[in-house]
Amino acid sequence: MSSPNDAQVYAKQLLLKRHGYPLWVPEPYGNTVTYRTKGVRIGDVGYVTPEGAFETLFNVRAAPDDPINGRGVPDGFEQIAVASEDLVHLPHFHQPGSAVTSASAKGRSCQVDLSTTGIPGSPLDAHMGAQFTWNSSEGAILHLPDGASRLTSPPSLFRASAMKGAKNWYKFANLTLHRAVPNGSLYLITGCDKTRPWMVGSFSNNSSDVHASMKLSAAGMASGGLSYSYTWETSSPAVYRTGPPPPIDSPEAIENNASPIDRDTTIFEFDAPYGQNQCIFLRGYRIMLRTTPLSHFLGSGSKVDVASISESYSKDVFAISPKVPYSNHTGPCYQGSSSSSSGCDTDSSRLFDDEGIIDFDVALDIVPNLTQPYHPLDSINRYLLQKNPRISVSIVHDDDWCCVLRDEDTQFPDEAELISRFAEKHRSEDFGV
C-alpha cells in the first residue's frame, strides 16, 4: 500500500533529473468533471499534497466565472491572457518506452517469459523486457510506455501576478477553502510534463544500502500496443503504482461539464495533448510569505551573512514542521489529516505589512506531527526572506534550483549546499517584493 513516505522518497530521488517536481500521483486530483478532463493546466494555482498529488485551487488564465474556477477566486483576482504563441508543446519530450530513474540505477535489457509475437518498432520487442538495479538505501523509477509531452510557457508572464496576489492567494486557500496550505507550498504552474499510461515506483531502507531490482515485462496486445507488467525484487519496503485508472466520467458528462478552456482549440489546445491528462512533473513558482518580523529586530542597516544562514539549516530536509498562514483555526491542520484533540498550536508570529505594522488577523498554525512534502524552493525561499529583511514575499521558479544542480551529483544537495550554490549564481534581490 502506498503512503506519503513513498511520495517523499520518489520525489527526492527524481529531483536530480531536473525535469521539475515529480508527482507520485499523476492522476487529476479533483472532484469535478471539468478538472478531470485535462488535469493540471498551465496557470493553475494549488499545492502538492502529502500523498504526492497536485490539487488545483484556481487558474489565473481562466475568467473568474469559468467552471474551472467554480470554487471562486481570491480577492483582487486578475486574469492573465496568454497568447497561443507563448505556449509551447514538445511532443515525445520523453520517448515511448523510456524510464526516468534515480542516479544510482543501472538498466539493461533482459529476457522475459512471454508467449506473444514481436511488434515492429516497439521500444521493447516481444520476449524482451528491461531490468533496473540499485545498490543504495533508496531509489525511484518512472516508466512511460507511450512517452510524455512537455508543456511550457515563459515564467515571466506570470511573475508579476504572483507577486501582487500572494497574500490574497493564501487567504483564499486557507480562509475561504479551508485547505491549511503550509507557508511556501502555494504553487503557480508555468509548465508540466504529461502522459497517458505510467508507472511510478520507489523503495527505501534506512538501515543500509541494499540490492533492489525492478523488472519491466512487455507483452503484445491484439490492439497492436504493448502491455507492461512490473515486479520489484528487494528485501526493502518497495511499492509501485500504475495508471491511469479507468475513467469515471461518461462522454456525455464530460461534454455537459466542459469548460470554455476545454472547448477552445487554439489558446488552450495543448493543456492535454493527445488526451494526456496525467501529470508527471511540475514546474512553476513557489510562493512564501514572511512569517517572522525579521526586519523589526534586525533593523534596516543589519546585514545577514549568507554562510550563517545556510549553516543554520538542518541536513534532514524532512524534519521541518510546516506553518500555515491565514489559518481560521477551525479546520484540520492539513487537508486530509486530523487535528489533535487540543487543536493546532498557534505561533505568536504575525505577518508584518510593508510599513512594518503587524497584520493582526494573520496567525500561523504550527503542525508538529506533519511532515511537509519537501521541495528545494522551501529552503531557498526561507533563505531569501532571511537575507532580505525588507521583503514580505519571496517567489522563486523551479528553473532556479534546476540550474544549480551538476551532472556529477549522485544525491540531491543538502540545504546548506543548495543555498550556497544558489547564492553564487543568483542575486537575492531579484526574487522578492
Side-chain angles (χ1 to χ4, degrees):
M1 179 178 293
S2 181
S3 71
N5 184 61
D6 300 321
Q8 294 271 35
V9 172
Y10 176 79
K12 184 180 71 169
Q13 290 294 313
L14 294 192
L15 285 170
L16 275 177
K17 296 302 180 178
R18 291 178 274 191
H19 294 307
Y21 189 84
L23 289 180
W24 178 251
V25 180
E27 303 98 306
Y29 189 87
N31 293 322
T32 65
V33 179
T34 299
Y35 180 69
R36 286 193 294 264
T37 55
K38 292 193 174 183
V40 176
R41 295 169 169 87
I42 290 175
D44 279 354
V45 176
Y47 66 101
V48 177
T49 72
E51 297 79 19
F54 183 78
E55 180 174 11
T56 296
L57 304 178
F58 61 95
N59 187 290
V60 296
R61 288 167 63 205
D65 59 351
D66 190 282
I68 202 66
N69 288 329
R71 288 179 288 198
V73 294
D75 290 342
F77 175 86
E78 295 180 359
Q79 183 181 0
I80 300 176
V82 180
S84 58
E85 293 82 5
D86 289 325
L87 297 171
V88 178
H89 168 225
L90 302 174
H92 296 311
F93 183 87
H94 302 272
Q95 290 297 310
S98 62
V100 182
T101 64
S102 49
S104 59
K106 296 181 180 180
R108 65 180 180 87
S109 298
C110 63
Q111 292 291 126
V112 293
D113 184 16
L114 296 175
S115 58
T116 57
T117 58
I119 301 175
S122 65
L124 295 177
D125 291 333
H127 302 286
M128 292 296 293
Q131 183 174 17
F132 296 88
T133 59
W134 293 260
N135 287 298
S136 57
S137 59
E138 294 182 337
I141 183 171
L142 163 67
H143 182 233
L144 301 167
D146 291 352
S149 295
R150 173 152 294 186
L151 310 176
T152 188
S153 61
S156 58
L157 297 177
F158 300 90
R159 187 172 185 272
S161 177
M163 288 281 199
K164 184 177 180 180
K167 292 182 180 180
N168 282 339
W169 291 4
Y170 270 105
K171 288 180 180 179
F172 178 73
N174 291 339
L175 290 177
T176 303
L177 300 184
H178 310 289
R179 285 302 189 272
V181 177
N183 190 30
S185 295
L186 268 189
Y187 223 142
L188 170 56
I189 304 305
T190 65
C192 56
D193 294 356
K194 302 181 84 170
T195 188
R196 287 177 296 187
W198 48 264
M199 183 277 291
V200 296
S202 70
F203 70 91
S204 177
N205 188 320
N206 293 328
S207 60
S208 61
D209 287 356
V210 297
H211 178 80
S213 175
M214 163 64 79
K215 286 187 176 180
L216 286 61
S217 302
M221 297 186 298
S223 61
L226 287 173
S227 173
Y228 287 87
S229 61
Y230 305 95
T231 306
W232 273 119
E233 295 181 354
T234 176
S235 59
S236 297
V239 66
Y240 70 88
R241 303 180 66 247
T242 59
I248 62 175
D249 303 313
S250 67
E252 294 78 12
I254 293 174
E255 176 63 23
N256 293 337
N257 290 274
S259 160
I261 282 182
D262 302 317
R263 299 182 190 278
D264 198 311
T265 59
T266 55
I267 296 177
F268 299 103
E269 181 179 4
F270 295 124
D271 278 277
Y274 314 123
Q276 297 171 326
N277 67 348
Q278 311 285 299
C279 183
I280 52 175
F281 291 104
L282 295 172
R283 292 175 298 281
Y285 286 107
R286 294 270 288 195
I287 305 166
M288 184 175 284
L289 307 180
R290 179 172 299 286
T291 60
T292 54
L294 191 61
S295 59
H296 180 70
F297 60 79
L298 282 179
S300 59
S302 298
K303 180 180 179 180
V304 183
D305 183 71
V306 174
S308 65
I309 291 175
S310 62
E311 289 170 1
S312 70
Y313 289 114
S314 167
K315 292 183 182 294
D316 182 5
V317 296
F318 300 102
I320 301 167
S321 292
K323 297 181 178 181
V324 179
Y326 298 104
S327 170
N328 59 12
H329 305 287
T330 59
C333 292
Y334 201 98
Q335 180 77 355
S337 64
S338 300
S339 304
S340 63
S341 59
S342 59
C344 299
D345 296 330
T346 301
D347 187 271
S348 59
S349 303
R350 296 292 186 269
L351 286 178
F352 277 54
D353 65 14
D354 294 338
E355 287 74 37
I357 300 173
I358 295 176
D359 185 353
F360 280 101
D361 64 353
V362 180
L364 295 170
D365 279 347
I366 300 177
V367 190
N369 296 322
L370 172 68
T371 301
Q372 179 179 351
Y374 172 70
H375 193 291
L377 292 182
D378 296 341
S379 306
I380 292 172
N381 274 325
R382 283 195 302 273
Y383 155 69
L384 290 169
L385 287 167
Q386 293 187 53
K387 170 86 172 156
N388 301 285
R390 292 185 175 277
I391 68 172
S392 59
V393 179
S394 179
I395 300 177
V396 189
H397 196 272
D398 283 310
D399 291 346
D400 298 312
W401 65 261
C402 287
C403 70
V404 305
L405 299 183
R406 300 166 182 165
D407 292 340
E408 62 268 24
D409 288 332
T410 58
Q411 293 183 338
F412 199 83
D414 62 40
E415 290 193 292
E417 175 63 19
L418 179 67
I419 290 167
S420 177
R421 294 186 190 182
F422 179 87
E424 291 175 0
K425 194 173 185 66
H426 299 290
R427 294 194 321 155
S428 62
E429 295 83 1
D430 295 336
F431 297 93
V433 61

